[in-house]
Amino acid sequence: MATDKQYWKSLQERDGDEVFLREMQQEFPEPSQEGTGGWSRRGFLRAAGFTLAGAALTGCNRAPIEKAIPLLVQPEFLTPGRAVYYASTCAGCAAGCGILVKNRDGRPIKLEGNPQHPLSHGGLCAVGQASVLGLYDSLRLRQPLIDGKKATWADVDTALIAQWKELQKSDRSVCILSSTVTSPTRRSVIDRFLRRFQNARQVIYDPLSSSAILDAHERTHGVRALPRYRFEQAEVIVALDADFLGTWISPVEFSTGYAAHRNLETEAPHLSYHVQVESRLSVTGSKADQRYTLPPSQMGPVLTQLAVRIAKAAGTVTSWQAAAESPIASRELDEIANRLWESRGRSLVICGEQDVTAQVLCNYINHLLGNYANTLDLANPSLQRQGSDQALQVLLQDLRDGKVGALLIDGVDPVSELPEGEQLAGWLQRVPVKVSFQDHLDETARLAQYVCPTPHYLESWSDSEPASGIVSITQPAIAPLGDRRPMMESLASWSGEAASAYDLIRENWRSNFFPRQKAPSSFDIFWDQSVHDGYAVIEPQSPQPKEFDLAAVHPAEGPAAGNSGSLELVLYPKVGMLAGAHAGNPWLQELPDPISKVTWDNYACLSPATAARLGVADGDVVLLKATSGAGSAQEMELPAFVQPGQHDQVVAVALGYGRSETERFANIGPRWMEGQPTLGENGRVGKNAAPFLELRDGALRYAGRSITATKTGRQHALASTQSYNSLSVPTQGAFPGWEPRPIVQETTWAALQQNPKAGSDGVSPAREDLWPQDHPSPVHHWAMVIDLGACTGCSACVIGCQAENNIPVVGKDEVRRKRAMHWMRIDRYYSEKASAVEVAHQPMLCQQCQHAPCETVCPVLATVHSEEGLNQQIYNRCIGTRYCANNCPYKVRRFNWFDYPRQDPFANLVLNPDVTVRSRGIMEKCTFCVQRIQDGKAEALRRGESVNDGDVQTACQQSCPTQAIVFGDRNDPNSRVSQLANSGRYYRVLEEINVRPSVGYLRLVRNRPAGTEENNRG
């Protein structure tokens, strides 16, 4: 079937690459054809231990022995086998999202978003979902160290108290270097500790810095503060290099607000207009209605010219006639300015550039538009980023000069995260007292005399104030798994005020927060309610901003003349890795990047045109060499990755890789692959790109540095999932040898207002039917609807599913062999419009087909249909023929090739006991979280009620920040899923083959005027 707009997952698919076509036509290749090992099928099976003789001799197929330990003294609140939930606060990053901790028999096994939390509203990102695995990391230090040797806390306290007494007499400074501290109690303990010294200070820096935004507001409003961005109130959004749906500041909070103003399934549907200007293709850029690609050096002129137009509309005269011209066409910039002006007070302009001049211009535009106190709240600011790059620069100079007597490092790894990490390691040798509070030996902790490990946030008390007036509680959900101590307890002990973290927090809340709330009459009631809810809303106490200072505004300069043939470097965080604090988490390492779909590596992203000019393809190693700046490392080798949608003048590299704690992943995977080449430099995953950062003019800069890229002639294979599981068909069509099906359907807002079914491909199910009727579902018929317009591709659902269903990590080599085990994947499709690349994200999971092809071909009835509409997989029957996978049109069934043994039994504590841990040789797939369905029905039976809509939520649905996934009972006409199935936007993928899936989708809608889309069909 011909379509005017074509979708493709990769450039190889778009161009009909011969290798791609051959791989797609041979869906189940022999192992010798899947990699470079040269294994025959028989040799592979022998090595994998699949032969009958091996099974008979070794008993390797024997089920593991499980021992039941009776609970002789049962606590009143605990029923064995039933989950207990604790409200708490996520500490995966500084965003401070509210969470519910699922605890089974005394151990946390799953994190959910707290739907009542006023900041995150029930969403939870991939990092937050995966942070539960960090609790069971055997590399975490179990006790303090002195000079690298195990010690007791008494030894540490005795030694350090003596050091503090000496430093009180010295003129050398005592400094605490930390990331943003959102805990008000910890801040007060730090202040009391530092007051004991004549020359002491706390320096805060964020590895993903927003320091320029705070500095700009200090210039324009007189307060160094980060405003709360209210995307839910913005009708027009213009973002410049700010990936607010992916990694910028508070993506869960922003995604929730963004989706709230782009909701088409309400009585009064509305769709905000989103313009994205960026250098590389980001998660946020993939959702934009209008997207422009520019190098970092051109962002300032765009802001300047936009400010000129807004000022003119406001009747303000500027003298910026000589300002640099914008690379965006004047007509298009006029259109953007007009939209912003027409939505005064309901628009929002944001900038992710680490440049104070650019941020001041951004403030000026928002000021002229009247956005402050509407879409930007500066009176009740965000406290999620408080770092000062200027203070960091001063501290580094003091370390260089040997002026620091003691350095206490908390929550950061400056040796790995800062541009002068190698030099910093040398400067630290001259500091007499070095204390690290890390719970593992990162590059900086290895240099400290005293390592005082802090507990995981799930095993300790803490608090948080991510936004002024919203205070949250972090409570332990498990007894401590080692002899660790919270930082605030250590500082209190060293100050002669020894107290537990619980007592310190409770006393701080009694003194400072209870007087600022209005509901409970006693502190005990207030405290108990706050612990139960996980948060409290109190009267904020923030410095009030002053009148806007127009004298602070200046036009941004145009790009400087660069070296001939040079490119501009962009360093960025990935959704899973961020700045690298979670590099040791294998769930996040194996999570496909939402855009590139590459796992287990970072790489040099190049546009197709630039890659062609350099003569490189995916996996070709390129040498990146800096031609400007004063960073310590001037060159680095990385594999290339060809990325559509990126500016031709830009090379983009992800931060957070090359950490020492990833050395353990070098040989992850099946035992027979041991001894193969390691993943990266020194056996680490990826390369550390932080040395290419620049700390210049009081700002940590991630973009704009001039570099050159040269092909080296070597190869480094990347583990990418972007060519997995294509749903297209191999016939001659629009593309050579490959005809895409209408998997994604989209339309425009203008067309949808005229026709509720705009964008439909007009395909109907086949009339012929091999089945006399659908499978009967007399009580429940479970179904799902996914809104493509709301899905951002953030992949929180992928990790949520992995945590809930005990899905194994398989390692880089297995991912390269197309053996990734994720039950849920996010298919990312590209399309082209007027030579620009557009993106559509489509979550794909088992469709629970009513006429399931997998059920008809299974010779042992391992896959059957339930009376509740579920396609069931019975593991004990499965013999691994893979016939079902061969016949699945959606490619959502997974064959478990190996046992994937967990070498660390400690990590098995994270496994969900409600879900079978599968052994090798069987098929597995999404089950609609059937264990949650059964639990919901049992709870309804206990209450003597029927299952209500919303009582059962799948793991993917529960974690979604934008509520793009809706699950429920199709037999209930009033359920949300039934209502959405009647929407004009509703369609089912591959409707024409008549498998009748129980998963449907709502068409993607872009906000464009009528006539701007060549084709409104998918």
Side-chain angles (χ1 to χ4, degrees):
M1 178 182 59
T3 58
D4 295 332
K5 188 172 185 178
Q6 304 293 356
Y7 295 89
W8 33 279
K9 284 187 174 181
S10 66
L11 293 168
Q12 291 79 11
E13 179 177 344
R14 184 197 66 178
D15 299 334
D17 180 78
E18 291 183 5
V19 175
F20 170 81
L21 292 175
R22 186 167 55 250
E23 290 180 352
M24 291 300 101
Q25 290 171 351
Q26 187 178 12
E27 186 176 352
F28 299 107
E30 291 290 328
S32 61
Q33 297 169 326
E34 292 174 315
T36 58
W39 290 79
S40 68
R41 180 172 180 81
R42 178 173 296 177
F44 166 77
L45 293 176
R46 184 183 299 114
F50 280 3
T51 60
L52 292 176
L57 292 173
T58 65
C60 62
N61 288 331
R62 188 176 302 160
I65 298 175
E66 297 182 4
K67 298 181 179 180
I69 301 176
L71 193 63
L72 299 179
V73 180
Q74 178 179 327
E76 293 182 5
F77 62 87
L78 179 63
T79 301
R82 291 195 62 186
V84 177
Y85 288 85
Y86 297 90
S88 193
T89 306
C90 179
C93 68
C97 298
I99 59 173
L100 299 177
V101 184
K102 182 180 181 181
N103 193 299
R104 275 293 300 269
D105 304 328
R107 57 188 174 90
I109 61 171
K110 180 71 172 65
L111 303 181
E112 313 279 9
N114 183 351
Q116 306 301 322
H117 197 275
L119 205 69
S120 51
H121 299 282
L124 192 61
C125 70
V127 169
Q129 292 278 351
S131 62
V132 66
L133 185 61
L135 175 66
Y136 305 110
D137 185 353
S138 61
L139 290 189
R140 286 202 300 147
L141 297 173
R142 293 178 175 267
Q143 62 190 79
L145 304 178
I146 299 179
D147 294 327
K149 298 179 181 179
K150 295 179 180 180
T152 66
W153 285 109
D155 297 334
V156 171
D157 291 345
T158 299
L160 281 176
I161 289 174
Q163 296 276 13
W164 306 140
K165 290 180 179 178
E166 290 297 320
L167 284 167
Q168 285 176 323
K169 307 173 186 176
S170 170
D171 59 350
R172 300 185 73 177
S173 67
V174 174
C175 180
I176 294 180
L177 178 64
S178 73
S179 59
T180 289
V181 178
T182 58
S183 167
T185 302
R186 183 148 49 129
R187 287 200 301 265
S188 66
V189 172
I190 289 173
D191 290 342
R192 291 200 298 272
F193 173 78
L194 293 178
R195 282 200 296 266
R196 302 173 62 237
F197 304 95
Q198 299 179 9
N199 184 8
R201 68 189 186 275
Q202 181 183 10
V203 174
I204 297 174
Y205 88 87
D206 296 304
L208 302 178
S209 179
S210 296
S211 177
I213 301 178
L214 285 83
D215 293 341
H217 281 93
E218 187 172 31
R219 292 188 186 182
T220 59
H221 291 82
V223 292
R224 192 174 189 277
L226 178 70
R228 280 193 69 187
Y229 297 100
R230 302 286 193 173
F231 287 90
E232 68 275 11
Q233 299 178 19
E235 294 183 2
V236 178
I237 301 167
V238 177
L240 292 90
D241 261 348
D243 186 14
F244 62 87
L245 298 179
T247 58
W248 192 65
I249 301 178
S250 185
V252 170
E253 176 189 2
F254 298 159
S255 296
T256 302
Y258 181 81
H261 214 72
R262 294 177 69 88
N263 191 347
L264 299 176
E265 301 303 322
T266 62
E267 294 182 359
H270 45 271
L271 192 68
S272 61
Y273 180 69
H274 172 199
V275 177
Q276 186 79 7
V277 185
E278 59 186 7
S279 306
R280 63 178 186 91
L281 183 57
S282 68
V283 172
T284 306
S286 72
K287 296 299 295 180
D289 299 304
Q290 185 67 47
R291 180 175 176 269
Y292 299 93
T293 56
L294 297 175
S297 59
Q298 295 284 0
M299 296 296 168
V302 171
L303 272 172
T304 300
Q305 293 300 328
L306 189 59
V308 168
R309 286 160 172 78
I310 298 296
K312 182 178 179 181
T316 302
V317 178
T318 63
S319 57
W320 297 350
Q321 289 79 7
E325 284 297 320
S326 165
I328 298 178
S330 180
R331 175 180 55 82
E332 298 181 52
L333 208 57
D334 290 341
E335 171 64 20
I336 296 172
N338 289 338
R339 282 182 176 267
L340 287 169
W341 186 251
E342 291 170 1
S343 300
R344 297 186 299 280
R346 294 170 286 111
S347 59
L348 181 60
V349 180
I350 60 174
C351 179
E353 290 289 301
Q354 270 288 91
D355 182 87
V356 176
T357 300
Q359 292 294 345
V360 168
L361 275 172
C362 188
N363 295 355
Y364 179 54
I365 294 171
N366 283 308
H367 167 70
L368 294 175
L369 293 170
N371 291 335
Y372 282 100
N374 292 305
T375 57
L376 289 94
D377 189 353
L378 197 56
N380 304 302
S382 165
L383 303 176
Q384 295 156 327
R385 298 278 178 91
Q386 303 170 26
S388 172
D389 294 345
Q390 292 182 355
L392 173 65
Q393 203 165 8
V394 172
L395 173 63
L396 292 178
Q397 184 62 49
D398 287 349
L399 289 170
R400 186 183 294 113
D401 297 340
K403 296 180 179 179
V404 178
L407 184 66
L408 295 82
I409 303 170
D410 174 41
V412 290
D413 182 9
V415 172
S416 295
E417 295 166 350
L418 293 180
E420 297 181 333
E422 293 184 3
Q423 292 93 325
L424 176 60
W427 303 337
L428 288 176
Q429 300 297 333
R430 289 178 272 173
V431 179
V433 182
K434 298 179 289 292
V435 181
S436 172
F437 294 99
Q438 287 287 52
D439 65 349
H440 62 278
L441 286 177
D442 60 20
E443 278 74 358
T444 305
R446 295 172 190 272
L447 304 175
Q449 299 120 305
Y450 305 93
V451 181
C452 304
T454 56
H456 193 276
Y457 74 90
L458 291 175
E459 56 184 0
S460 62
W461 285 95
S462 187
D463 58 358
S464 177
E465 189 176 10
S468 182
I470 300 175
V471 287
S472 304
I473 284 286
T474 302
Q475 61 172 315
I478 189 174
L481 298 176
D483 190 15
R484 307 179 187 93
R485 189 168 70 180
M487 178 194 183
M488 66 177 75
E489 289 189 10
S490 294
L491 295 183
S493 177
W494 300 336
S495 301
E497 304 171 355
S500 67
Y502 175 83
D503 291 336
L504 291 168
I505 294 167
R506 187 178 167 92
E507 182 55 36
N508 188 48
W509 280 54
R510 183 194 301 273
S511 303
N512 297 317
F513 297 159
F514 177 63
R516 293 160 54 190
Q517 60 84 39
K518 300 178 181 177
S521 57
S522 72
F523 173 73
D524 288 337
I525 296 175
F526 168 67
W527 173 258
D528 291 343
Q529 186 67 42
S530 300
V531 172
H532 174 272
D533 296 343
Y535 72 95
V537 178
I538 61 176
E539 188 70 25
Q541 289 183 346
S542 304
Q544 291 303 305
K546 300 176 182 178
E547 290 293 325
F548 192 94
D549 185 2
L550 294 174
V553 184
H554 301 283
E557 296 180 0
N563 297 333
S564 176
S566 66
L567 302 164
E568 292 188 41
L569 179 65
V570 172
L571 300 172
Y572 69 96
K574 280 191 178 183
V575 163
M577 283 296 100
L578 298 180
H582 303 280
N585 191 311
W587 286 356
L588 295 174
Q589 288 284 1
E590 196 155 294
L591 176 68
D593 179 77
I595 300 300
S596 71
K597 296 301 175 183
V598 175
T599 68
W600 290 104
D601 256 316
N602 62 341
Y603 34 83
C605 289
L606 304 169
S607 73
T610 302
R613 178 172 60 83
L614 296 174
V616 299
D618 291 349
D620 287 339
V621 176
V622 295
L623 173 65
L624 303 181
K625 195 169 186 178
T627 58
S628 69
S632 58
Q634 298 298 310
E635 60 183 42
M636 176 173 57
E637 292 185 352
L638 280 172
F641 183 80
V642 183
Q643 178 60 65
Q646 181 165 304
H647 194 274
D648 294 341
Q649 198 177 329
V650 167
V651 177
V653 179
L655 295 165
Y657 286 82
R659 301 300 176 87
S660 60
E661 61 187 302
T662 64
E663 293 173 359
R664 55 179 163 170
F665 299 139
N667 290 317
I668 191 172
R671 289 181 292 272
W672 63 274
M673 282 299 299
E674 290 181 1
Q676 294 296 312
T678 53
L679 295 176
E681 188 177 31
N682 300 322
R684 301 178 182 182
V685 178
K687 300 284 189 68
N688 184 10
F692 276 88
L693 291 167
E694 287 187 285
L695 183 55
R696 175 168 46 86
D697 300 330
L700 194 59
R701 299 176 185 269
Y702 302 87
R705 190 172 185 184
S706 295
I707 63 168
T708 57
T710 309
K711 184 177 179 179
T712 65
R714 293 193 302 279
Q715 282 276 328
H716 178 93
L718 295 172
S720 173
T721 64
Q722 71 174 353
S723 61
Y724 276 32
N725 310 307
S726 177
L727 306 191
S728 300
V729 291
T731 58
Q732 292 295 331
F735 297 151
W738 201 252
E739 181 175 348
R741 288 164 162 171
I743 309 302
V744 175
Q745 296 184 15
E746 71 171 88
T747 185
T748 63
W749 177 222
L752 192 69
Q753 290 174 306
Q754 298 173 7
N755 177 12
K757 294 188 177 182
S760 172
D761 58 18
V763 173
S764 299
R767 294 180 180 274
E768 296 77 12
D769 203 335
L770 294 176
W771 290 267
Q773 60 181 2
D774 286 347
H775 291 279
S777 299
V779 182
H780 301 292
H781 181 182
W782 303 108
M784 181 178 287
V785 175
I786 302 175
D787 187 349
L788 298 185
C791 176
T792 65
C794 71
S795 300
C797 55
V798 177
I799 298 295
C801 174
Q802 184 165 19
E804 174 70 21
N805 294 293
N806 302 334
I807 296 174
V809 171
V810 301
K812 177 182 176 179
D813 184 74
E814 294 296 279
V815 175
R816 284 202 307 113
R817 295 166 182 265
K818 302 187 177 182
R819 293 173 181 166
M821 293 297 294
H822 296 118
W823 287 2
M824 186 174 199
R825 68 177 192 264
I826 309 293
D827 288 340
R828 182 266 299 115
Y829 291 95
Y830 297 120
S831 60
E832 290 178 300
K833 172 184 174 292
S835 73
V837 172
E838 295 182 336
V839 176
H841 300 283
Q842 185 176 63
M844 185 57 62
L845 63 161
C846 176
Q847 304 285 291
Q848 313 292 339
C849 303
Q850 294 301 295
H851 293 174
C854 57
E855 296 174 13
T856 61
V857 298
C858 182
V860 293
L861 292 180
T863 177
V864 295
H865 215 81
S866 80
E867 63 179 8
E868 295 187 353
L870 299 181
N871 178 250
Q872 297 178 321
Q873 185 70 26
I874 303 174
Y875 299 137
N876 284 345
R877 293 181 186 171
C878 182
I879 60 174
T881 63
R882 295 192 290 167
Y883 296 161
C884 55
N886 190 36
N887 281 267
C888 175
Y890 302 98
K891 309 305 176 191
V892 289
R893 304 180 73 86
R894 305 286 174 259
F895 181 70
N896 209 332
W897 279 87
F898 298 96
D899 278 334
Y900 301 111
R902 294 175 182 268
Q903 302 296 338
D904 179 9
F906 191 48
N908 291 335
L909 293 173
V910 81
L911 295 176
N912 183 357
D914 292 331
V915 178
T916 302
V917 179
R918 283 79 61 191
S919 60
R920 66 185 175 192
I922 64 167
M923 300 299 303
E924 55 184 83
K925 64 169 191 70
C926 166
T927 64
F928 268 177
C929 290
V930 65
Q931 68 278 6
R932 293 190 173 209
I933 295 175
Q934 296 301 107
D935 188 58
K937 292 193 297 183
E939 181 62 21
L941 181 63
R942 187 187 67 81
R943 298 194 311 260
E945 303 173 356
S946 59
V947 179
N948 298 317
D949 188 36
D951 283 354
V952 178
Q953 289 190 324
T954 60
C956 57
Q957 172 193 18
Q958 209 285 334
S959 65
C960 182
T962 62
Q963 300 180 22
I965 302 173
V966 177
F967 175 79
D969 187 0
R970 280 298 302 271
N971 285 352
D972 178 5
N974 297 318
S975 67
R976 179 67 174 158
V977 74
S978 294
Q979 294 171 355
L980 292 177
N982 294 324
S983 167
R985 296 167 59 210
Y986 180 83
Y987 76 100
R988 296 189 293 189
V989 172
L990 302 183
E991 183 90 15
E992 65 272 22
I993 63 177
N994 200 28
V995 295
R996 301 188 184 180
S998 295
V999 178
Y1001 296 86
L1002 300 183
R1003 291 181 190 88
L1004 173 62
V1005 180
R1006 302 188 194 272
N1007 191 349
R1008 295 201 181 104
T1012 59
E1013 182 72 47
E1014 293 88 348
N1015 175 42
N1016 289 330
R1017 301 190 323 171

